[in-house]
Amino acid sequence: MNSNSSHRLTRLTLGFTVLSVAGVSLGLSGSAFALLPEEPVLGAREAVGLPRLGEIILRTPAVESARESALFLSQGNSGVRVERDGVDGSLRLATGKLGVSLVEAFGSEANYRAWVKASSKGTKGREGFLRVANKAVLRFVSQQSEALGFRAADLRVNEAKFFADDAHAFVSFDVFLNGQQGAATKVKGSSIDFRFTAGELTQVAARTFGASASESARQAATRAAVSVSSDAEVARRVLGAQAQVERPSEPLVHVNLSADGKAYVFTPARRLEAKSATGELFAIVVSAESTVEASRQATVLEWSSLHFKVASRVQGVVNNRSVNDGQSTFAFPGAQGSAPGGGWFGRRTTYTADGEGNLVAPNARELTVNISSPIVKVTNATGTSAAVRLTSDADVLFDGTTNSTLAETTTFYHVNVVRNWAKQYVTAPWFDQQMVANVNIGDICNAFWNGRSINFFKAGTKTKNGKTLECNNTGEIADVVYHEWGHGLDQNTGGIDDGAYSEGIGDVVSMLITDSSLVGPGFFKDGKPVRDLEGEYSYPKDKGEVHKEGLIIGSAWWHFTRALVEKYGNDVGRETASRYFLKSLYTTSQYTDAYEALMTIDSEDASAAGRGPNACLINASFARHGLATKDASCGS
């Protein structure tokens, strides 16, 4: 809420003046929020009625006898900070220890946490949590109505805005007023929110009248007389002859400021939704027709588009493979944008791009687009993570230089590449869980998987074992992204039991996607790769350091893949190798088990029980690297 808008905020501590105005007694009597004037409670007041429109203009007097009451002192609390509205003195914001405990309301901390968990599981859990929270909050409001400036009877819990987790809970209430016939009518745009931290009330935020009035002022109200014989006629008068009513009118209380800004204007009104000839949806608020039956005319209090949206196509400039292989611009499917959500506390709503990178926030006035998706969240470890803020439709290009780093864009894109590759052949819950990728870490010449995230180092020079190494940014190299993701694949298909096998798995993932024996070309600034799977590594001769030992299984897979490509052609050969490799991970915990797993998988492709169609190719490739005994029946 903008405190510089048409209502004003006055700060004070431990209390505020309780004011009462014509038509509304803010907490000092049993008829708070009544629409009709009542007997004065504090000082002289003035009510100016406009009978034709049914408006009641309320003016706040200069209240010399108004008393300030200490807020929540009865609860034994201190340090409460309060903001109040400069027009009617009602509460806008109270922050501090406010003396309401949901932990106590639920009986114990264990019960509270159990209900928090239940509230996230389904409707019954939400309803149960809200029943207890509603009772605790409304009891507090009843006890503190004089200080707060509103009554419990005027509040209705808004289930749609409820949220709870282990750290926070938000319970929101809409504000209703009693009209001339005693019927409760919702006040447009008004709400009162209660924030709990660890089960204790720490903030009350009230959007009663001022926020609603200032919002109306921003929406360019059209004060024009229109026919009220039907909703359809109202829609046509406002939007044109082809307008159609999408949702019939419903009663509400419209609030605006008087011309001098010293009073609120409350108008019994009706709100309907209608679609224009171009298909755009609008909300139209008119004064209630019951007040103008003689003239069959009403005033349009405001009308505004409901199609607040920001649309974008999200793309990024990425390295095709390595720092020396050129760049391309690709769509970023799954890219996410967030927009300010409803309620005082600013909870944001997240929107996700489709497979073409098209991102639409249908109810947003602004959108912040990040290099993040439900699959991977990219974080710039040594700087501000990439974000582009939009206030209108516009394409977003993360260019890797001005609004993002190339490590962010390249890592994001290639995580999606490797995940989509794997999903063609196997399924695993891990594929659809968000993984964190930290890029531009303040170290050089490495990358790693830590059990939860993949991590990539900045470019730079270092000396190791007396040798100077000059390395590029590892987050800018596709092969390195594939390799580290492969460690996560290993962990989430049975666990990492063999470090050398896990290194080999990472290399094979890279090889199968790039169709190259070179792993990480361009890792070093001279263009050299990290490893080459073309070599003749064998078991047990090359056992030892895990990366070197991993080349045993890596080179076996490289030669098996080449054999499949020679037999079936490039596409079918690589697809067969990928399918066999990914399926083998579920039944192998060390690389010396890979041969038997492959023979079993291959036999599943046989038309009858027994040896599979590629048994001799498997045997030749793995025997070449000491992982199988040469089968004489396969020939030379």
Side-chain angles (χ1 to χ4, degrees), residues 45-164:
R45 295 174 299 177
E46 176 185 13
V48 179
L50 300 178
R52 189 177 69 85
L53 295 180
E55 292 185 332
I56 301 172
I57 296 181
L58 309 173
R59 295 185 181 276
T60 302
V63 184
E64 297 179 358
S65 60
R67 56 187 176 85
E68 292 187 355
S69 61
L71 181 61
F72 311 128
L73 284 183
S74 62
Q75 304 289 336
N77 300 305
S78 61
V80 176
R81 301 181 305 280
V82 175
E83 294 179 355
R84 59 174 175 150
D85 185 275
V87 174
D88 66 4
S90 62
L91 176 73
R92 288 293 173 215
L93 186 68
T95 305
K97 295 181 179 180
L98 303 180
V100 178
S101 173
L102 291 184
V103 172
E104 292 182 4
F106 281 98
S108 69
E109 184 172 352
N111 284 344
Y112 171 70
R113 293 190 179 279
W115 275 103
V116 168
K117 185 175 182 180
S119 71
S120 67
K121 299 297 184 182
T123 302
K124 288 186 177 180
R126 290 172 61 87
E127 291 177 348
F129 189 100
L130 280 172
R131 274 196 299 271
V132 177
N134 181 65
K135 185 178 297 185
V137 168
L138 294 185
R139 183 185 304 114
F140 162 73
V141 172
S142 297
Q143 294 169 348
Q144 296 287 347
S145 61
E146 182 172 337
L148 292 169
F150 48 81
R151 296 186 316 156
D154 300 306
L155 306 182
R156 306 285 188 278
V157 69
N158 184 337
E159 294 186 20
K161 291 170 64 176
F162 164 71
F163 170 81

Side-chain angles (χ1 to χ4, degrees), residues 508 511 533 535 537 550-562 598 617-618 621-625 627:
V508 174
M511 176 271 290
L533 303 182
Y537 306 96
L551 286 168
I552 300 172
I553 186 66
S555 58
W557 269 103
W558 166 250
H559 287 115
F560 175 48
T561 302
R562 290 300 93 201
L598 274 179
L617 298 183
I618 298 169
S621 299
F622 278 71
R624 178 175 178 174
H625 297 279
L627 297 174

Side-chain angles (χ1 to χ4, degrees), residues 147-470:
L148 292 169
F150 48 81
R151 296 186 316 156
D154 300 306
L155 306 182
R156 306 285 188 278
V157 69
N158 184 337
E159 294 186 20
K161 291 170 64 176
F162 164 71
F163 170 81
D165 63 15
D166 288 342
H168 302 284
F170 302 90
V171 183
S172 181
F173 294 79
D174 293 327
V175 180
F176 285 72
L177 301 185
N178 290 321
Q180 296 182 19
Q181 285 76 41
T185 305
K186 184 178 179 180
V187 178
K188 175 186 173 295
S190 294
S191 64
I192 299 173
D193 300 334
F194 295 80
R195 175 179 186 151
F196 295 85
T197 303
E200 306 299 320
L201 183 62
T202 55
Q203 199 168 67
V204 178
R207 295 166 52 92
T208 49
F209 306 140
S212 176
S214 61
E215 182 71 15
S216 298
R218 288 195 296 269
Q219 291 182 346
T222 302
R223 293 271 174 177
V226 299
S227 170
V228 292
S229 60
S230 68
D231 288 347
E233 195 164 353
V234 171
R236 288 194 293 269
R237 287 289 302 275
V238 174
L239 302 178
Q242 298 183 44
Q244 296 181 343
V245 175
E246 293 291 305
R247 180 177 294 180
S249 58
E250 56 186 11
L252 56 76
V253 175
H254 185 269
V255 186
N256 212 336
L257 283 172
S258 59
D260 59 10
K262 297 181 179 180
Y264 291 130
V265 180
F266 291 68
T267 306
R270 301 187 69 82
R271 177 188 182 276
L272 62 96
E273 294 180 8
K275 185 180 292 184
S276 69
T278 62
E280 187 170 3
L281 194 64
F282 289 83
I284 305 171
V285 179
V286 295
S287 55
E289 55 186 276
S290 61
T291 63
V292 289
E293 290 181 354
S295 62
R296 307 301 297 171
Q297 295 285 303
T299 294
V300 176
L301 300 172
E302 71 176 59
W303 62 279
S304 56
S305 173
L306 294 177
H307 280 188
F308 297 120
K309 72 177 180 68
V310 179
S312 174
R313 185 163 190 241
V314 186
Q315 297 176 296
V317 175
V318 308
N319 283 342
N320 292 326
R321 183 178 177 190
S322 187
V323 296
N324 302 316
D325 296 320
Q327 298 174 343
S328 296
T329 298
F330 294 106
F332 274 11
Q336 292 182 315
S338 64
W344 179 278
F345 300 106
R347 292 186 56 78
R348 299 182 71 84
T349 301
T350 299
Y351 302 90
T352 303
D354 64 15
E356 302 298 323
N358 296 311
L359 179 62
V360 178
N363 299 307
R365 299 171 189 255
E366 66 174 71
L367 183 69
T368 300
V369 183
N370 305 99
I371 301 181
S372 181
S373 77
I375 304 306
V376 56
K377 178 181 180 181
V378 180
T379 300
N380 186 1
T382 55
T384 302
S385 297
V388 174
R389 181 175 175 270
L390 303 176
T391 56
S392 61
D393 292 0
D395 289 345
V396 170
L397 175 65
F398 289 107
D399 58 20
T401 53
T402 62
N403 61 6
S404 55
T405 65
L406 199 54
E408 290 174 285
T409 57
T410 299
T411 296
F412 177 85
Y413 177 76
H414 287 291
V415 166
N416 281 277
V417 168
V418 65
R419 178 236 185 203
N420 291 338
W421 163 78
K423 286 196 72 173
Q424 296 177 82
Y425 307 106
V426 294
T427 59
W430 180 67
F431 291 166
D432 297 318
Q433 296 170 5
Q434 189 184 62
M435 178 181 66
V436 173
N438 298 306
V439 301
N440 300 317
I441 294 172
D443 203 342
I444 58 175
C445 294
N446 215 338
F448 64 93
W449 160 263
N450 69 358
R452 296 176 302 278
S453 63
I454 51 178
N455 302 269
F456 305 95
F457 291 1
K458 297 170 68 175
T461 303
K462 71 186 302 183
T463 300
K464 183 177 181 180
N465 298 326
K467 183 178 179 181
T468 299
L469 302 176
E470 293 184 301

